[in-house]
Amino acid sequence: MQTYVVTPLTARPGPALAGNVLVPGDKSIGHRALMFAALCEAPVTVTGLGQGADNGRTAKAMIQLGATIERVGEDMVVSPVGLARLTAPGTIDCGNSGTTMRLLAGLLGGLPFATTLIGDASLSNRPMARVATPVRALGGVVNGEVRNGDLFAPLVVGGPEAAPRAAQLDLTVASAQVKSAAVLAALFAEGVTTIVEHAPTRDHTERMLAAMGAPIAVRDGVITVDTRGWSRALTQARIDVPRDPSASAFFVVAALIARAADVTCADICVNPTRIGFLDAIAAMGGQVERHGLRHVSGEPVADLRVGHGESASLHGATLRGELVVRAIDEIPVLAVLAARAAGTTVIADAEELRVKESDRIATTCAMLRAFGVHVEERPDGMVITGQPDTPLRAAQIHAHGDHRIAMAAAIGALVADGPTTIDDCDNVATSFPSFVAVLRQLGAALEVRHSDAVATAPSRAQDD
């Protein structure tokens, strides 16, 4: 299957949005499904996997480590290598995927062979000391380029100096990637490792590994990994990946601000650690209904619906603390919602946005200013003055290679006073290749100049 680079993208106001949306499989769960399936003892079928390039990087990494991954119809069948039989790959290219690099640092840091993890220009400028610190505390090796007191890729992980050991960890960075790297490193340590997190982050790693038979327990923010007597065998026949709540957030916000008749996002993962954006929307007066709650592979799933008139009472709010942690990836599109809400919205405690694919505080503020919105940039967030009664200003917006900025800008453009052009949004393909097609399906007016096609979901995962 192929997608296209979307530079530039032009969006304009149009009719009321209506229809049913099927967003891709959850990218965070997809990474873990592919990685952990490859660590099992028998073949695993993974269904519902998204088509983005980031999950493809994890698939190829696990193939380099000894697994076989093949597409069978709509599914991926993983013939695993096993946790104890990982092979030395030399160098793994993680592309733009921070999840791939950080989880691999934990998985490979304690192994007796060295692996070099490389990434694209964006990933090579994302901080890695945060993941190196807990992995090193567990006896792993993580080395890289030191700049300005932090660590950056290329990373060299594992090697003869690695000596896995149990430890007590107190995580100082609220990050599911960092926590997951620590959990994976702890699987190789003999004894009891405790990992304390002080703010709730997405818990897909703990859920999935526990279901596979890993010796993991979670209570009151403390994760315990007790490997005493454990055979290091993982088992799971099938993993069903629910649809991505972060991807659904764009269409939920679009429906709230762009005169939706009736928009439904089906089969969305509503894990409490992932739906902070719904709580933020509720705090701003938005109404999003949940229907048909059920469980898929241990994750809660529901349909999200926005009906006519449910944006009428949008108002500003203060978003901070653990709510922001749970909504960190959705802040750019929540900022667009705030631009259409009456009054002032304050977003605080969001310093983590400074070290995403772009400095998302700076790029989100720049996007809003281009739309004519008054916004004050702060070190840990922003203050947005909404303008619910007048259209946003048509703009030329630079996405700085950040897929979430590009997609948030496309949503804002739906309520502008003319066409908006968004440049440098190639990386939409890393998470949501069908974004433009799905938004058009709802009735949005978007134009794309296609450039050369790039493969994002090969028929065999070993072809990247």
Side-chain angles (χ1 to χ4, degrees):
M1 183 177 177
Q2 290 181 322
T3 185
Y4 288 87
V5 174
V6 286
T7 300
L9 166 65
T10 300
R12 64 187 74 234
L17 304 181
N20 296 328
V21 172
L22 291 177
V23 302
D26 185 272
K27 187 171 68 164
S28 293
I29 297 175
H31 281 298
R32 290 157 175 82
L34 289 166
M35 187 174 292
F36 302 167
L39 304 178
C40 285
E41 295 297 312
V44 182
T45 298
V46 179
T47 71
L49 194 70
Q51 305 299 307
D54 281 4
N55 281 169
R57 291 293 182 181
T58 293
K60 185 169 183 180
M62 301 319 293
I63 290 166
Q64 288 183 257
L65 288 163
T68 299
I69 303 178
E70 294 187 322
R71 181 172 293 281
V72 178
E74 296 298 313
D75 302 334
M76 301 295 266
V77 177
V78 181
S79 298
V81 60
L83 188 66
R85 298 183 298 277
L86 295 166
T87 57
T91 298
I92 294 176
D93 187 350
C94 301
N96 187 246
S97 177
T99 302
T100 304
M101 180 172 285
R102 286 176 173 147
L103 267 61
L104 286 177
L107 178 66
L108 305 179
L111 297 183
F113 54 80
T115 302
T116 300
L117 305 177
I118 63 173
D120 66 8
S122 172
L123 183 54
S124 297
N125 281 296
R126 296 182 67 178
M128 293 295 161
R130 58 186 55 198
V131 72
T133 298
V135 174
R136 288 169 177 168
L138 291 164
V141 175
V142 181
N143 294 314
E145 181 181 346
V146 178
R147 299 198 311 266
N148 300 320
D150 211 316
L151 192 71
F152 297 88
L155 301 180
V156 179
V157 300
E161 303 85 5
R165 59 179 177 269
Q168 294 184 353
L169 302 180
D170 194 325
L171 299 181
T172 58
V173 177
S175 164
Q177 294 174 357
V178 173
K179 175 178 65 175
S180 297
V183 169
L184 289 170
L187 295 180
F188 294 93
E190 185 62 32
V192 180
T193 294
T194 58
I195 302 167
V196 179
E197 61 171 348
H198 297 281
T201 62
R202 49 189 73 176
D203 61 356
H204 308 307
T205 292
E206 302 96 293
R207 287 174 180 256
M208 194 176 295
L209 284 176
M212 291 177 167
I216 294 175
V218 182
R219 183 175 180 179
D220 297 331
V222 179
I223 304 160
T224 302
V225 182
D226 185 354
T227 61
R228 294 172 298 180
W230 181 47
S231 66
R232 288 181 171 75
L234 300 174
T235 58
Q236 184 78 298
R238 179 185 177 96
I239 303 173
D240 297 307
V241 179
R243 299 187 186 275
D244 192 345
S246 294
S248 76
F250 295 98
F251 303 101
V252 168
V253 170
L256 287 168
I257 68 174
R259 299 182 297 116
D262 194 343
V263 172
T264 297
C265 299
D267 304 326
I268 302 300
C269 176
V270 289
N271 181 314
T273 65
R274 295 294 305 282
I275 54 172
F277 77 94
L278 291 177
D279 295 335
I281 288 171
M284 297 170 69
Q287 300 177 40
V288 183
E289 299 175 358
R290 303 183 205 180
H291 297 281
L293 180 65
R294 61 261 188 210
H295 284 78
V296 175
S297 292
E299 295 283 350
V301 173
D303 301 334
L304 304 181
R305 177 185 175 273
V306 178
H308 178 69
E310 291 176 354
S311 64
S313 59
L314 287 174
H315 54 76
T318 296
L319 311 178
R320 65 186 321 144
E322 64 86 20
L323 174 59
V324 166
V325 173
R326 293 189 295 114
I328 197 71
D329 284 339
E330 294 79 43
I331 293 298
V333 77
L334 288 173
V336 172
L337 184 69
R340 303 300 292 162
T344 299
T345 294
V346 178
I347 299 173
D349 302 324
E351 301 95 331
E352 184 72 8
L353 290 174
R354 295 284 187 190
V355 292
K356 294 290 187 178
E357 283 82 341
S358 68
D359 177 343
R360 281 189 184 151
I361 292 177
T363 52
T364 298
C365 289
M367 171 187 67
L368 293 179
R369 291 189 188 106
F371 277 133
V373 177
H374 183 271
V375 56
E376 174 193 344
E377 180 176 338
R378 292 182 174 178
D380 67 338
M382 63 199 77
V383 179
I384 302 163
T385 302
Q387 51 181 72
D389 300 323
T390 58
L392 301 184
R393 182 175 65 205
Q396 179 95 19
I397 293 174
H398 196 290
H400 298 276
D402 191 323
H403 53 120
R404 297 196 190 277
I405 298 299
M407 292 188 285
I411 301 306
L414 301 180
V415 291
D417 58 9
T420 290
T421 299
I422 307 158
D423 293 315
D424 194 17
C425 47
D426 297 9
N427 277 339
V428 170
T430 67
S431 63
F432 199 164
S434 60
F435 172 75
V436 170
V438 174
L439 199 51
R440 281 175 171 166
Q441 178 187 330
L442 294 178
L446 292 91
E447 300 171 7
V448 180
R449 185 185 71 198
H450 296 302
S451 61
D452 293 338
V454 293
T456 61
S459 59
R460 287 176 174 263
Q462 49 264 60
D463 299 324
D464 189 23

